[in-house]
Amino acid sequence: MKQIILVLHSLAVGGAERHITTFANYFVGRDFSVILVFLDDPVVKFEIDPKVEIVCIKQNPKLCDDDQNIVRLFKAKKTVKTGLYKKIKLKVLSLFNRKKYNFVEKELFFINNYVLPLKWFLREYPDAIVVSFMTIPNISTMMAVKNLKNRALFCDFNDMSSEYPEDSPINRLREKYYKRADAAIFQTQSERDYYTFLPQVLKYIVPNPLNSCGLPKRFEGERRKEIVNFCRLSKAKNLPLLIDAFTLLNKDYPEYTLSIYGEGSLKESLLEQIASLNLEERVFIRDFDLNIHSKIVDCAMFVSSSDREGISNSMLEAMAVGLPCVCTDCLGGGPRMMIEDGENGLLVPMKDANALCLAMKKIIENPALAEKLSQNAVKIRERLEPEKICGQMLSAILGE
């Protein structure tokens, strides 16, 4: 039986984690042996097939009772502490070459915390194909596979050109170690084209699978005058721009409201922005709801103001339930890959509140356009059907 090892942080809530779960469940359903390897604490928030083995290689993880029932803890045979020579080298670098110090320090952190335990684990599975997801697991895996026999791939599902500052040691680590990959998998052409420094690495494009089971049918009828977004409240989503655009819209259409569903570090600052604009009765930050799709299916539109995205799950799900969608043509290229402007959604320039407002007005003022966008948007269900996308992912992993 062929083995596939998937390396990630954990299975906490997140779009990437949801897709990894979908892939893992699909692979075991095709008679592959699948192991999920967690670099961090053994958190599992998704339904995983019991045939999928879960292993945590963190050496001192935080455990709860539920985790211990489903996760095997792996103890590395040995680890390496920073020796005297390295300590002296770091001290000298910190005094005379801060940039190199940052790189060496970060590299040592990876080695001691992730790479050595992962390498010891992978040595037990020399015939397995190893696939990593997200930047930190990707770097760790590509460092760990040196001198191992495993076929190794990494998956980047974000706009890497803007994820870290240009001088970040993370960028240097990617350039140094990603060259060890046999192949790489991306969601969009834009993500793939960023990696000009990997000319020898085979590159695949595989979009997100969209599981439409449980999603409500497209709403037909008069829509509520509510504009929605649901996402993580983070800087990349540029939600202040969405609020600014809605402020402009509200002058002409005061009967409309804006609801943003989600949690994140920027919640308080968004509430402060709303209060400063005296929009507490028109703009709402709401807790994320597992029944979000049923709550928003009859809303006027979905609006995404992101500065960077791979393929936004909230955008795909909004399209799948038939919401007219307005999205910024952001870094990462996800919206432009899925939306044909004027056919199944509207694309607008990044960081332009006026353009975002005008697009929202266009949908409000043209019911025929709104209905057209809605009818065409739901076709995304067939385009991203999980069986099809998971098959593409498996073919890429196997190198077919």
Side-chain angles (χ1 to χ4, degrees), residues 241-258:
L241 178 74
L242 175 55
I243 295 170
D244 286 342
F246 178 82
T247 303
L248 298 174
L249 179 76
N250 190 245
K251 295 175 182 178
D252 294 326
Y253 295 96
E255 70 274 23
Y256 277 78
T257 61
L258 170 64

Side-chain angles (χ1 to χ4, degrees), residues 83-342:
L84 180 61
Y85 170 77
K86 286 287 187 182
K87 289 179 179 178
I88 294 173
K89 181 179 179 180
L90 283 170
K91 182 64 176 178
V92 172
L93 288 173
S94 70
L95 295 174
F96 298 102
N97 190 335
R98 191 69 192 179
K99 187 174 182 180
K100 190 170 182 181
Y101 165 82
N102 290 338
F103 175 79
V104 174
E105 182 188 44
K106 184 65 71 174
E107 191 175 44
L108 283 172
F109 174 83
F110 273 82
I111 291 170
N112 290 331
N113 288 276
Y114 301 131
V115 177
L116 289 175
L118 181 58
K119 195 176 191 75
W120 279 109
F121 179 80
L122 293 179
R123 281 175 173 166
E124 298 182 3
Y125 301 91
D127 298 321
I129 300 173
V130 183
V131 187
S132 60
F133 296 82
M134 297 172 282
T135 303
I136 302 306
N138 288 345
I139 293 172
S140 303
T141 302
M142 293 308 121
M143 292 175 74
V145 296
K146 182 180 180 181
N147 298 326
L148 299 183
K149 298 179 180 179
N150 307 83
R151 172 175 167 82
L153 303 86
F154 71 85
C155 302
D156 265 344
F157 294 160
N158 209 337
D159 176 63
M160 306 312 300
S161 64
S162 59
E163 185 179 23
Y164 293 96
E166 188 174 343
D167 60 351
S168 169
I170 295 294
N171 292 327
R172 291 183 61 197
L173 287 167
R174 287 190 312 196
E175 291 190 24
K176 180 175 180 179
Y177 291 108
Y178 277 19
K179 296 173 184 178
R180 293 178 179 171
D182 294 290
I185 301 172
F186 309 97
Q187 289 181 331
T188 71
Q189 293 93 333
S190 178
E191 293 168 358
R192 177 198 63 191
D193 294 344
Y194 167 78
Y195 285 97
T196 56
F197 58 88
L198 298 177
Q200 304 304 318
V201 175
L202 190 61
K203 303 177 182 70
Y204 298 89
I205 295 176
V206 181
N208 291 350
L210 175 64
N211 191 346
S212 58
C213 293
L215 291 180
K217 293 182 179 179
R218 188 182 80 89
F219 177 78
E220 297 182 24
E222 185 175 352
R223 293 182 173 274
R224 287 189 291 119
K225 293 178 171 59
E226 182 178 6
I227 297 165
V228 295
N229 190 351
F230 52 104
C231 63
R232 185 179 289 112
L233 307 183
S234 63
K235 184 178 179 180
K237 306 299 182 181
N238 200 352
L239 294 168
L241 178 74
L242 175 55
I243 295 170
D244 286 342
F246 178 82
T247 303
L248 298 174
L249 179 76
N250 190 245
K251 295 175 182 178
D252 294 326
Y253 295 96
E255 70 274 23
Y256 277 78
T257 61
L258 170 64
S259 292
I260 300 170
Y261 291 82
E263 299 291 337
S265 59
L266 299 185
K267 184 174 183 177
E268 291 305 316
S269 65
L270 294 174
L271 290 171
E272 290 173 6
Q273 180 185 3
I274 292 166
S276 72
L277 295 167
N278 296 315
L279 288 173
E280 295 99 323
E281 301 300 317
R282 312 309 301 161
V283 181
F284 306 96
I285 306 296
R286 306 187 188 276
D287 292 340
F288 184 78
D289 194 312
L290 291 176
N291 297 316
I292 182 68
H293 309 105
S294 298
K295 288 181 177 292
I296 67 171
V297 66
D298 61 342
C299 285
M301 69 187 84
F302 168 88
V303 181
S304 171
S305 51
S306 292
D307 290 338
R308 59 180 175 89
E309 291 273 9
I311 299 179
S312 162
N313 293 299
S314 56
M315 175 190 72
L316 294 182
E317 291 163 8
M319 294 176 72
V321 300
L323 285 183
C325 291
V326 178
C327 296
T328 50
D329 187 11
C330 60
L331 298 174
R336 84 177 69 104
M337 185 174 174
M338 294 294 148
I339 290 179
E340 183 180 352
D341 187 37

Side-chain angles (χ1 to χ4, degrees), residues 354-367:
N354 286 314
L356 205 58
C357 174
L358 289 173
M360 289 190 279
K361 279 187 176 182
K362 195 172 183 179
I363 290 175
I364 292 171
E365 295 170 355
N366 192 335

